[in-house]
Amino acid sequence: MTDMIIIEEATGEIGTEPENRSVETLLTYGIVNIDKVKGPSSHQVSDYVQKILGITKAGHSGTLDPAVTGVQPVAIGRATKVTQFLLKSAKEYICVMHVHKDLEPSVIKEALSKFIGKIQQMPPVKSAVKRQLRTREIYELEVMEIEKRDVLFRVKCEAGTYIRALCNDVGKKIGGAHMACLRRTAAGAFNEDDNLITLDDLRDALYYYKEKQNEKYIRYCIQPVEHALKYIKKAYIFDSAILSMSHGRDLGAPGISKLENFQKGETVAVMTLKGEVVAVGTAEMSAVQISTDRKGLAVKTSKVFFEATKEDLEKLNKENQIARAAAEKEDSEKETTEKENSK
């Protein structure tokens, strides 16, 4: 668990805990972790989610070829703002690579081990990007099983890495190889253990909710958007700072109650004290500097998620009135003390 720096303890009254959102809210502001099957493209999967839920907007976490299966998080409604962070996040795959001649397992393992770290890749002919040499990083590469000419391996890599190209490049070192089968097992904060569902599961869950008034299955299928930000460092703000940030303002250091230990330049999720994401931005100071100086611009906002409800606004107005009354009382007492001292 990430260390938390407590600046000033506080309790949040604004907003709702993500796990307590209404189903109606989740249906326009959440994420579904789809188990993509062979056949449809990633865009088609997003379109299917839209049609099933009857919404106007959905976005996926990174393109998968039609023949590739596995983890395909799809953000719905207002939550599509989070897809830019999913697109840039690390991915993990299980791949079957077929080598073109009989080789000793040790030879195959040695060849694969040389591709851990920074590598140069040329995207395949059929790809969504311009074909030019580019650098990508392989974080982990583990050979799980070798059976004759078929090699089963797990790879964790930087976003935008082409596993088909990886297999071809390995093949150039050992006399030929190609990708025979590929499944994505993780995309950013989501893996196969994080409520992975099929499109049919989603359709059935919606039926039970609408026709049987049973929320259990739809709540399992649609996750709060905050789940996508699991690996992004966070800053938790006082209620008094929420409204201005929800209108796109940057975050000043005095508005922060507690924060995780991030560095200047890191992406930071700004949260309410109830755990709702307000905005995402870039740290203009390190967490240590923020907690020490307590002044200046802390986070420059890039994406706003929070929308204040009527109830939130009423609570904020009440809090502001109480704060003003307390300030006026303090000023009055200070003025009275000064007059008494001057006598």
Side-chain angles (χ1 to χ4, degrees):
M1 186 177 177
T2 303
D3 292 335
M4 187 74 71
I5 300 172
I6 308 295
I7 297 174
E8 182 181 334
E9 289 282 8
T11 302
E13 298 294 332
I14 303 303
T16 306
E17 290 85 355
E19 305 301 331
N20 293 334
R21 286 192 184 116
S22 69
V23 171
E24 289 304 310
T25 299
L26 289 173
L27 285 168
T28 58
Y29 186 52
I31 292 185
V32 289
N33 190 17
I34 298 294
D35 187 354
K36 180 188 169 301
V37 298
K38 284 186 179 181
S41 67
S42 295
H43 294 295
Q44 287 174 318
V45 171
S46 293
D47 288 341
Y48 293 154
V49 169
Q50 275 186 234
K51 290 173 182 176
I52 290 170
L53 297 179
I55 57 177
T56 59
K57 189 189 298 185
H60 61 77
S61 61
T63 303
L64 285 178
D65 290 345
V68 179
T69 65
V71 174
Q72 178 76 84
V74 177
I76 57 180
R78 288 197 295 118
T80 52
K81 294 177 183 179
V82 84
T83 54
Q84 74 174 77
F85 306 105
L86 289 171
L87 287 168
K88 297 175 183 178
S89 61
K91 308 294 191 294
E92 183 183 81
Y93 300 89
I94 298 292
C95 177
V96 175
M97 179 180 72
H98 184 77
V99 299
H100 296 172
K101 65 180 183 180
D102 295 331
L103 294 167
E104 289 294 324
S106 60
V107 173
I108 297 170
K109 289 179 180 179
E110 183 181 358
L112 281 165
S113 69
K114 292 179 179 178
F115 284 83
I116 297 174
K118 299 281 187 180
I119 63 170
Q120 295 289 308
Q121 273 200 330
M122 178 69 75
V125 175
K126 291 183 178 180
S127 62
V129 299
K130 184 179 179 181
R131 291 201 76 219
Q132 60 183 20
L133 203 62
R134 56 189 195 163
T135 302
R136 288 295 181 267
E137 186 170 0
I138 305 296
Y139 305 122
E140 300 171 13
L141 203 162
E142 173 194 6
V143 176
M144 303 172 71
E145 187 179 346
I146 298 177
E147 185 176 333
K148 296 180 180 179
R149 294 188 179 185
D150 289 326
V151 183
L152 180 69
F153 67 87
R154 178 188 66 84
V155 57
K156 184 175 182 181
C157 54
E158 183 181 354
T161 303
Y162 284 91
I163 308 304
R164 187 183 305 279
L166 174 64
C167 291
N168 292 338
D169 291 341
V170 172
K172 292 174 183 177
K173 305 289 186 182
I174 58 175
H178 67 270
M179 187 184 83
C181 183
L182 185 66
R183 178 173 177 80
R184 186 157 72 186
T185 52
F190 298 93
N191 59 42
E192 292 179 307
D193 296 325
D194 293 314
N195 296 22
L196 188 66
I197 62 167
T198 65
L199 291 168
D200 285 337
D201 291 334
L202 183 62
R203 188 180 291 107
D204 291 344
L206 189 65
Y207 168 81
Y208 275 99
Y209 170 65
K210 289 193 170 181
E211 302 300 327
K212 306 292 184 180
Q213 289 72 55
N214 186 335
E215 296 185 355
K216 178 181 177 181
Y217 304 110
I218 199 70
R219 285 190 176 278
Y220 179 87
C221 292
I222 305 179
Q223 304 180 47
V225 66
E226 285 79 8
H227 288 197
L229 305 172
K230 188 193 307 184
Y231 297 126
I232 295 179
K233 300 287 181 64
K234 297 173 179 65
Y236 294 82
I237 60 176
F238 297 113
D239 284 355
S240 56
I242 293 174
L243 191 59
S244 63
M245 285 211 71
S246 71
H247 292 149
R249 292 281 298 275
D250 296 329
L251 175 63
I256 299 174
S257 167
K258 57 185 179 180
L259 67 170
E260 294 174 349
N261 193 13
F262 50 78
Q263 300 299 315
K264 180 179 179 180
E266 273 194 76
T267 297
V268 176
V270 179
M271 317 292 288
T272 70
L273 290 168
K274 287 191 173 184
E276 280 192 278
V277 59
V278 178
V280 176
T282 303
E284 294 294 306
M285 294 189 282
S286 70
V288 172
Q289 185 181 358
I290 291 169
S291 62
T292 302
D293 294 352
R294 299 295 294 123
K295 62 182 180 181
L297 176 61
V299 178
K300 189 170 181 60
T301 301
S302 59
K303 288 286 181 183
V304 175
F305 290 83
F306 190 87
E307 289 186 356
T309 64
K310 182 180 178 182
E311 291 77 12
D312 290 334
L313 294 173
E314 289 174 351
K315 287 179 182 177
L316 282 169
N317 287 333
K318 186 176 180 180
E319 285 187 4
N320 289 337
Q321 288 173 2
I322 293 172
R324 281 197 298 270
E328 288 172 0
K329 182 181 179 181
E330 184 179 346
D331 290 342
S332 177
E333 290 175 348
K334 184 178 179 181
E335 185 178 345
T336 301
T337 301
E338 289 175 349
K339 286 180 178 179
E340 290 177 351
N341 290 337
S342 64
K343 291 179 180 179

